[in-house]
């Protein structure tokens, strides 16, 4: 009698195992082993695919997307909070010196004595280490344009860099007047490369936030940036609220002028004196507070010295702008519109209040028509952009009209005109409206070479020696035609090679500025700007700790640490 089966009745005898009965059991065991190995392998791939590694951003080459070591400054004049590069305090040529001053992007007031303020370490980010090696896993893909990637620096492969991927294998990349153009593999023509909307919004840089008006200018009407001679009234001095309290038969404009005080003018204004030279509108440029860091010995902007040009010589005209405002419509009918000017051409987002129908218009040409939730009375946040030759409209943070309306401006580079000195406006016709919290931002301008301007040919090789000379150029429409003389630069990419650039283009050590002296690791012919696929190691996806924000008594533990502090939740975000 054989041994009874575990689940068999006690009165029943288990059948005796035969030789043929044993063979399937061995096969089953082998199959289970194989299945276990397969499951373990799949699990390992999943774990590997979702593995994340933490990095700290050391420098400001990816600002404003990712901050390196920096100081955070609340402007003493307008209260706008901006950041200033402080990486030179811990790395760079000796002797290391503290950052003493920075210039506010919003009002151009120079804040001093920043050496007493804490410096914060760079953003802490999470990087997915294998999304490109396992592209079939959920959330993974091959390297894509505008990804923020971690890679090994080709000239020093043991060092990791983080930049934005802008060029793909086989393409030719052209940088022209701040924009990226791409000629595909085997193609004959370059095409402007438009950023996805989420990247476009995430890469915007401040131009002017009307909610932060400088104290020294609030009672000086000649310095007001938003003005109107068509019925709009300022609700109260210092407040970003403008009222059109009577419906107009024709378009009534509230227009922005880019009035930026020069250093000499700020000196007079702070002494409560009228500047010798009055306000004059200038072109919007690629000015960015992050790059205005100066040491004490070079912080006098009234006298140009070697090393302080970065605080004022940011000259490149930027025509790709975004206008946002809270619009409170108090009528059941009429029209409202937002306007942006680039190269003398006016672009509109016009909405019929009665029906909610919107039109995107370039010059006299209607590019798109669609429905919006802007119907009848009510307050909405409108955001109108003209970026990468595409018009887009958002209502209360939601995109309307699909991906926007693209247009082709031809091969000629855009040249600003006198109209670009007042590049934005809000208008209404047949409606009672108020506008508040007006904000103007700009797109990134990609320069040809890090650390240098593109405007050598524009100035005939003689660049401005002091801020007033730069303002003379930016305020004179007769000189604007020279901007067309700025040259372009092309970069051809080989098979399985990529191009990387930093969002802080003027101060980024990236593909544009590398050499190709170190090739011991690479036996192939690598152009200096190329990053081989084998060196790309991960994709950045989340800022999990920008820095701690002091609050309460702010007890000073050391120069850079104040307690208590809270997490900087406002800047914890997905990386676009």
């Amino acid at each position: 009698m054989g041994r009874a089966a575990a689940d068999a009745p006690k009165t029943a005898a288990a059948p005796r195992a035969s030789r043929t009965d044993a063979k399937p059991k061995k096969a089953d065991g082998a199959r289970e082993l194989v299945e276990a190995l397969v499951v373990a392998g799949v699990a390992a791939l999943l774990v590997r695919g979702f593995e994340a590694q933490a990095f700290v951003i050391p420098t400001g080459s990816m600002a404003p997307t990712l901050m390196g070591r920096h100081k955070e400054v609340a402007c003493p004049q307008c209260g706008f909070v901006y950041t200033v590069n402080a990486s030179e305090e811990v790395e760079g040529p000796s002797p290391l010196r503290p950052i003493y001053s920075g210039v506010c992007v919003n009002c151009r007031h120079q804040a001093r004595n920043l050496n007493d303020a804490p410096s914060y370490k760079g953003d802490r980010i999470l990087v997915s280490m294998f999304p490109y090696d396992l592209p079939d896993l959920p959330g993974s893909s091959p390297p894509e344009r505008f990804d923020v990637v971690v890679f090994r620096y080709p000239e020093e492969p043991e060092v990791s860099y983080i930049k934005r991927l802008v060029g793909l294998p086989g393409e030719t990349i052209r940088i022209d007047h701040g924009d990226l153009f791409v000629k595909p593999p085997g193609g004959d023509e370059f095409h402007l490369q438009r950023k996805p909307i989420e990247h476009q919004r995430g890469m915007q840089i401040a131009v002017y936030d009307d909610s932060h008006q400088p104290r020294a200018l609030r009672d000086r009407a000649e310095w007001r940036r938003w003005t109107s001679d068509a019925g709009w009234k300022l609700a109260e001095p210092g407040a970003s609220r403008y009222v059109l309290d009577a419906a107009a038969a024709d378009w009534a404009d509230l227009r922005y002028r880019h009035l930026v005080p020069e250093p000499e003018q700020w000196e007079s204004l702070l002494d409560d004196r009228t500047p010798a030279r009055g306000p004059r509108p200038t072109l919007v440029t690629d000015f960015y507070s992050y790059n205005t860091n100066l040491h004490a010995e070079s912080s006098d902007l009234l006298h140009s010295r070697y090393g302080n040009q970065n605080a004022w010589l940011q000259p490149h005209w930027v025509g790709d702008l975004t206008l946002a405002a809270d619009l409170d419509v108090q009528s059941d009918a009429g029209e409202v519109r937002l306007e942006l000017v680039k190269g003398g051409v006016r672009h509109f987002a016009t909405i019929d209040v009665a029906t909610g129908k919107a039109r995107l218009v370039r010059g006299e040409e209607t590019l798109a028509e669609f429905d919006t939730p802007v119907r009848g009375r009510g307050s909405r946040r409108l955001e109108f952009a003209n970026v990468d030759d595409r018009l887009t409209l958002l209502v209360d943070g939601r995109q309307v009209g699909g991906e926007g309306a693209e247009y082709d401006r031809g091969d000629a580079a855009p040249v600003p005109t006198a109209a670009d000195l007042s590049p934005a406006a809000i208008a209404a016709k047949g409606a009672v409206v108020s506008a508040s919290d007006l904000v103007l931002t700009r797109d990134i301008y990609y320069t040809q070479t890090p650390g240098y301007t593109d405007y050598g040919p524009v100035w005939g090789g003689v660049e401005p020696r002091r801020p007033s000379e730069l303002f003379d150029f930016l305020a004179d429409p007769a000189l604007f035609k020279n901007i067309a003389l700025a040259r372009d630069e092309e970069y051809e990419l080989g098979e399985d090679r990529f191009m990387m650039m930093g969002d802080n283009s003027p101060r980024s050590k990236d593909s544009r500025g590398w050499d190709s002296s170190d090739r011991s690791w690479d036996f192939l012919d690598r152009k200096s700007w190329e990053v081989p696929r084998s060196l790309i190691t991960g994709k950045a996806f989340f800022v999990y700790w920008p820095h701690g924000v002091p609050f309460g008594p702010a007890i000073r533990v050391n120069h850079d640490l104040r307690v208590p502090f809270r997490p900087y939740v406002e800047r914890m975000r997905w990386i676009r």
Side-chain angles (χ1 to χ4, degrees):
M1 297 287 292
R3 181 175 300 175
D7 57 352
K10 291 183 178 181
T11 56
R16 181 170 298 182
S18 66
R19 292 180 182 272
T20 55
D21 291 329
K23 290 180 180 178
K25 290 184 178 179
K26 290 183 179 179
D28 289 346
R31 185 183 64 188
E32 290 173 359
L33 177 60
V34 172
E35 289 177 348
L37 291 174
V38 170
V39 170
V42 171
L45 289 174
L46 288 171
V47 170
R48 184 184 184 193
F50 291 104
E51 180 182 347
Q53 184 173 337
F55 282 81
V56 179
I57 304 301
T59 69
S61 66
M62 277 295 294
T65 303
L66 300 173
M67 297 294 182
R69 181 179 174 86
H70 65 279
K71 292 180 180 289
E72 193 165 85
V73 183
C75 178
Q77 271 294 314
C78 71
F80 187 82
V81 176
Y82 61 95
T83 55
V84 176
N85 184 12
S87 60
E88 293 178 4
E89 293 182 333
V90 295
E91 61 180 37
S94 297
L96 299 175
R97 294 164 293 175
I99 299 304
Y100 177 77
S101 70
V103 180
C104 176
V105 66
N106 198 61
C107 71
R108 302 298 173 88
H109 174 265
Q110 184 183 25
R112 299 171 181 267
N113 299 313
L114 299 185
N115 50 309
D116 293 331
S119 296
Y120 300 107
K121 291 183 178 180
D123 289 344
R124 281 111 168 135
I125 66 170
L126 293 177
V127 176
S128 179
M129 300 307 295
F130 300 99
Y132 303 137
D133 293 332
L134 304 168
D136 295 329
L137 289 179
S140 299
S141 68
E144 296 179 343
R145 196 185 326 274
F146 299 120
D147 283 353
V148 177
V149 302
V150 174
F151 59 96
R152 284 175 282 157
Y153 175 36
E155 305 305 321
E156 199 174 351
E158 64 273 16
V159 176
S160 290
Y161 271 29
I162 182 167
K163 307 289 179 188
R164 194 176 293 276
L165 192 157
V166 299
L168 298 173
E171 295 180 337
T172 302
I173 305 299
R174 174 187 289 170
I175 303 175
D176 188 5
H177 288 80
D179 285 326
L180 294 178
F181 293 80
V182 175
K183 182 169 69 175
D188 297 323
E189 297 182 352
F190 284 90
H191 300 280
L192 176 64
Q193 188 59 51
R194 297 179 173 92
K195 293 178 282 293
I197 300 297
E198 64 272 15
H199 289 79
Q200 173 183 307
R201 298 187 73 205
M203 297 165 68
Q204 291 286 295
I205 297 176
V207 173
Y208 179 65
D209 185 340
D210 195 53
S211 298
H212 296 276
Q213 300 175 22
R215 291 182 288 107
L217 304 181
R218 287 177 184 171
D219 296 327
R220 296 177 179 267
E222 69 274 19
W223 283 99
R224 289 177 188 161
R225 300 207 198 183
W226 287 97
T227 59
S228 173
D229 56 5
W232 290 85
K233 301 174 184 177
L234 179 64
E236 61 178 286
S240 180
R241 185 168 180 270
Y242 304 85
V243 178
L244 183 65
D245 54 13
D250 202 355
W251 287 109
D253 286 350
L254 173 68
R255 185 161 291 278
Y256 173 83
R257 299 176 299 162
H258 195 54
L259 294 175
V260 177
E262 305 169 30
E264 295 90 342
Q265 293 171 322
W266 259 122
E267 184 180 50
S268 299
L269 292 166
L270 293 176
D271 290 339
D272 201 24
R273 293 182 287 110
T274 300
R277 181 184 302 193
R280 51 178 175 169
T282 57
L283 295 175
V284 175
T285 73
D286 62 340
F287 187 92
Y288 184 30
S289 289
Y290 198 91
N291 299 329
T292 64
N293 52 296
L294 292 177
H295 305 298
E297 59 270 24
S298 60
S299 62
D300 183 2
L301 297 182
L302 297 180
H303 302 90
S304 178
R305 298 180 181 180
Y306 177 77
N308 77 357
Q309 292 94 334
N310 62 298
W312 58 268
L313 190 59
Q314 302 182 43
H316 306 103
W317 168 59
V318 181
D320 285 8
L321 304 175
T322 299
L323 172 61
D326 288 338
L327 215 60
D328 187 3
V329 179
Q330 301 163 25
S331 302
D332 295 318
E335 292 180 282
V336 295
R337 76 180 183 190
L338 276 64
E339 175 187 340
L340 293 169
V341 179
K342 180 180 179 180
V345 180
R346 301 186 184 277
H347 305 80
F348 303 101
T350 303
I351 303 175
D352 187 317
V353 172
T355 65
K357 292 282 186 181
R359 290 181 293 120
L360 299 180
V361 179
R362 169 175 162 82
E364 301 297 326
E365 180 186 4
T366 297
L367 303 178
E369 296 186 70
F370 48 86
D371 293 325
T372 76
V374 184
R375 296 186 185 90
R377 301 169 185 256
S379 180
R380 292 96 172 175
R381 182 74 176 174
L382 302 185
E383 183 179 315
F384 176 48
N386 177 24
V387 176
D388 295 333
D389 291 359
R390 178 179 58 195
L391 306 182
T392 57
L393 180 65
L394 282 78
V395 178
D396 293 330
R398 297 183 177 181
Q399 204 168 316
V400 293
E403 292 297 309
E406 300 176 358
Y407 60 87
D408 184 1
R409 55 177 165 82
D411 294 332
V415 175
T417 69
D420 291 88
L421 300 173
S422 299
I426 295 174
K429 180 171 68 173
V432 175
V433 180
S434 67
S436 58
D437 295 332
L438 285 68
V439 176
L440 192 66
T441 57
R442 66 169 178 87
D443 191 22
I444 286 175
Y445 182 102
Y446 291 107
T447 57
Q448 307 287 345
T449 307
Y452 298 89
T453 77
D454 295 351
Y455 280 6
V458 174
W459 294 321
V462 181
E463 67 181 25
R465 296 166 296 175
R466 55 183 63 89
S468 59
E469 293 182 3
L470 174 61
F471 279 74
D472 289 342
F473 171 79
L474 296 175
D476 188 354
L479 300 176
F480 294 169
K481 64 180 182 297
N482 294 338
I483 291 177
L485 300 176
R487 302 187 183 100
D488 58 43
E489 194 74 34
E490 294 183 6
Y491 303 86
E492 185 177 345
L493 299 172
E495 183 179 356
D496 221 23
R497 304 298 170 93
F498 298 81
M499 183 172 178
M500 311 293 183
M501 288 172 56
D503 287 356
N504 188 4
S505 185
R507 298 292 181 268
S508 173
K509 184 180 180 181
D510 55 36
S511 287
R512 299 164 300 156
W514 297 336
D515 59 45
S516 55
S517 59
D518 183 1
R519 299 192 179 188
S520 59
W521 55 272
D522 187 1
F523 299 102
L524 301 176
D525 183 22
R526 181 185 68 85
K527 303 180 184 71
S528 62
W529 53 83
E530 293 179 323
V531 176
R533 171 65 185 83
S534 60
L535 296 186
I536 299 177
T537 58
K539 177 180 178 180
F541 66 93
F542 192 73
V543 178
Y544 72 90
W545 185 263
H547 63 75
V549 180
F551 68 93
I555 301 169
R556 181 170 178 166
V557 177
N558 57 42
H559 184 273
D560 294 333
L561 178 60
R562 308 291 195 271
V563 294
F565 60 84
R566 65 171 179 83
Y568 203 163
V569 178
E570 301 91 325
R571 286 196 57 243
M572 295 179 183
R573 67 198 185 282
W574 300 105
I575 297 172
R576 303 297 186 189

